[in-house]
Amino acid sequence: MSYRMEIDALNALVKEQQRTNELLEIIVKQTRGEDDEHENVKPTRSATRKTSK
């Protein structure tokens, strides 16, 4: 695997982790009763991903 491919893969992981953190923050706020942000939740990447077979 080339360095560029490794960097791209790591960048993708970082983006996924950032999204996970955002969703966790929203969940924590909702469980504390601060649910004003739940309307801003975007579909997760897996929900929008298109697979072709």
Side-chain angles (χ1 to χ4, degrees):
M1 184 180 285
S2 70
Y3 288 121
R4 185 68 200 160
M5 289 175 67
E6 289 181 25
I7 290 170
D8 289 343
L10 289 172
N11 283 332
L13 286 171
V14 168
K15 286 181 184 179
E16 290 291 329
Q17 187 63 53
Q18 288 171 339
R19 183 65 182 145
T20 300
N21 290 345
E22 291 171 8
L23 292 172
L24 286 171
E25 285 179 23
I26 291 168
I27 290 169
V28 168
K29 286 181 180 181
Q30 286 179 350
T31 57
R32 291 181 180 166
E34 305 168 15
D35 60 355
D36 54 20
E37 286 191 39
H38 74 281
E39 295 173 4
N40 297 331
V41 178
K42 299 176 197 167
T44 59
R45 184 172 171 204
S46 60
T48 59
R49 186 178 299 154
K50 303 212 184 320
T51 57
S52 58
K53 289 188 179 183

